[in-house]
């Protein structure tokens, strides 16, 4: 049978309104035609029947493609995909019963968008840490706007970009992956804000630093816990993270306890205020309500003597919350400064991927923000609000074990 690969757009509307019109124009009309069938859906079929065709699909719900295999996959605008997980799922679809020597995965991306940082990590820096992916399969071909044979398009495109901010020109005209379009945190600089915990604190977190935690609850979506040391001046040092999806609250607590040494004392644990909300379920066999996530955390963490209090983190508007993070990245504004350990991989990813939405003053809703939320629970409550929801127990003067204080 002739091979039929697949080309993915982001949504059905994207496929219908952008990809299909492009395939119905020159030079694609010399190769084949687009048709839509009740069984096949949208498909581009080659005139040469030996070449088969290309199914036109969208990424809105990858679950519908489970069990489907393609001899090649094409992705349009890869940088609009916010996380690496989608790429891994797509690679699992590459399969053919004849086991050919090559199963192509072809994509194009601009050096900006919610997924720009992980694309840069794989294709530009060749950094496959934590990825079960064969590096030999990744090849980067830099294509500049002047490589487009349509010179009228090139001139119009350049004219449009000339009226845009300099960072956008650098990204689109120079192919600069470090000039990310619309980044929410333009002052974020790894050379300034990233640190190695073992080098910075070779004997551990200093005893005169106060340790707090930020916690963003999640069940199907990832949960995130951040450990943050606050120095005597008030600066924030994010030195540890835990980030995982599809696990229950009792597993959150177990992971939190296992991540930290037993002599480490957390003054205050700032959490999402929604974890105190009871969910009434008439079918719950042990009572009228299920245990709240807060009650699960309290039962697991507090008896250890390693935590002062678990309190709601202050949660104003998203605009103000992300603005508070930005304030902590500017070293000259008089606010306490923020530093993030290099092994807080997920927080760094979310910081670098965080983009402005196309309209309004919020961030792009496609950007993941679980680690960012855990971070701003701490920054909002400790710094900006000026007072905590509940006063913490005083830190033990001689160590991190509260028993030493009593």
């Amino acid at each position: 049978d002739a091979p039929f690969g697949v080309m993915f757009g982001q949504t059905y509307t994207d496929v219908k309104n952008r990809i299909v019109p492009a395939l119905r124009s020159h030079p694609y009309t010399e190769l084949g035609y687009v048709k839509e069938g009740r069984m096949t859906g949208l498909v581009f079929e080659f005139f040469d029947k030996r070449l088969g065709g290309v199914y036109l699909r969208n990424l809105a719900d990858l679950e519908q493609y489970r069990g489907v295999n393609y001899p090649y996959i094409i992705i349009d605008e890869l940088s609009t995909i916010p996380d690496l997980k989608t790429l891994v799922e797509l690679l699992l679809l590459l399969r053919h019963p004849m086991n050919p020597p090559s199963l192509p995965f072809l994509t194009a991306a601009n050096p900006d968008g919610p997924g720009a940082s992980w694309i840069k990590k794989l294709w530009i820096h060749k950094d496959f840490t934590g990825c079960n992916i064969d590096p030999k399969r990744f090849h980067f071909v830099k294509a500049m706007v002047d490589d487009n044979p349509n010179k009228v398009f090139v001139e119009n495109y350049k004219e449009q970009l000339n009226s845009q901010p300099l960072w956008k020109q650098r990204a689109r005209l120079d192919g600069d992956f470090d000039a990310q379009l619309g980044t929410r945190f333009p002052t974020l600089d790894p050379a300034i804000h990233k640190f190695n915990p073992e080098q910075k604190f070779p004997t551990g977190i200093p005893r005169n630093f106060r340790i707090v935690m930020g916690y963003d609850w999640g069940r199907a979506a990832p949960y995130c816990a951040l450990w943050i040391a606050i120095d005597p001046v008030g600066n924030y040092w994010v030195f540890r993270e835990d980030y995982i999806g599809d696990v229950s609250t009792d597993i959150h607590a177990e992971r939190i306890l296992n991540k930290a040494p037993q002599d480490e004392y957390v003054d205050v644990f700032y959490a999402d205020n929604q974890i105190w909300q009871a969910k009434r379920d008439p079918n719950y066999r042990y009572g009228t309500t299920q245990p709240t996530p807060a009650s699960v955390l309290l039962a697991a963490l507090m008896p250890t003597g390693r935590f002062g209090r678990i309190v709601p983190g202050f949660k104003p508007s998203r605009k103000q919350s992300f603005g508070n993070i930005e304030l902590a990245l500017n070293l000259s504004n008089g606010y306490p400064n923020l530093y993030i350990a290099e092994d807080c991989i997920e927080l760094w990813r979310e910081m670098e991927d965080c983009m402005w939405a196309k309209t309004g003053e919020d961030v792009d809703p496609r950007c993941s923000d679980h680690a960012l939320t855990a971070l701003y629970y701490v920054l909002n409550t400790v710094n900006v609000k000026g007072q905590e929801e509940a006063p913490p127990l005083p830190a033990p003067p001689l160590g991190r074990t509260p028993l030493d204080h009593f």
Side-chain angles (χ1 to χ4, degrees), residues 10-189:
Q10 299 307 304
T11 64
Y12 177 78
T13 301
D14 183 47
V15 173
K16 193 81 172 178
N17 295 344
R18 197 168 65 85
I19 295 177
V20 169
L23 293 175
R24 284 177 171 161
S25 62
H26 181 80
Y28 303 105
T29 50
E30 297 182 6
L31 301 174
Y33 58 95
V34 175
K35 73 173 188 178
E36 185 171 9
R38 187 170 62 88
M39 300 298 294
T40 62
L42 286 167
V43 60
F44 179 86
E45 289 196 3
F46 292 101
F47 292 129
D48 186 342
K49 299 303 180 183
R50 295 172 299 176
L51 299 178
V54 184
Y55 293 116
L56 306 178
R57 301 291 185 258
N58 68 84
L59 295 170
D61 182 12
L62 285 180
E63 288 291 324
Q64 62 184 307
Y65 305 115
R66 284 187 178 275
V68 181
N69 299 318
Y70 300 103
Y72 59 89
I73 294 176
I74 304 170
I75 302 289
D76 184 49
E77 297 289 355
L78 186 66
S79 57
T80 59
I81 299 175
D83 57 69
L84 179 60
K85 177 183 176 182
T86 302
L87 173 66
V88 174
E89 292 178 355
L90 289 170
L91 290 174
L92 294 176
L93 304 180
L94 275 176
R95 212 172 286 162
H96 193 275
M98 300 298 292
N99 293 319
S102 176
L103 293 171
F105 181 92
L106 308 173
T107 185
N110 283 308
D112 53 65
S117 68
W118 68 261
I119 292 173
K120 177 175 68 174
K121 174 184 174 183
L122 298 183
W123 271 278
I124 309 299
H125 292 204
K126 299 294 184 181
D127 179 3
F128 296 87
T129 305
C131 303
N132 187 22
I133 297 175
D134 182 4
K136 297 178 181 178
R137 298 180 64 179
F138 285 75
H139 304 280
F140 174 63
V141 178
K142 190 171 184 177
M144 307 300 290
V145 62
D146 287 319
D147 296 329
N148 193 318
N150 187 336
K151 299 306 178 184
V152 174
F153 167 83
V154 170
E155 293 306 316
N156 290 338
Y157 187 69
K158 285 183 174 181
E159 185 175 346
Q160 293 174 15
L161 284 179
N162 284 336
S163 61
Q164 299 298 317
L166 181 60
W167 46 261
K168 184 172 183 178
Q169 296 181 41
R170 285 175 51 203
R172 294 295 179 95
L173 292 178
D174 301 335
D176 186 350
F177 270 84
D178 293 318
Q180 193 178 52
L181 167 65
T183 179
R184 180 61 185 82
F185 304 115
T187 57
L188 179 67
D189 185 348

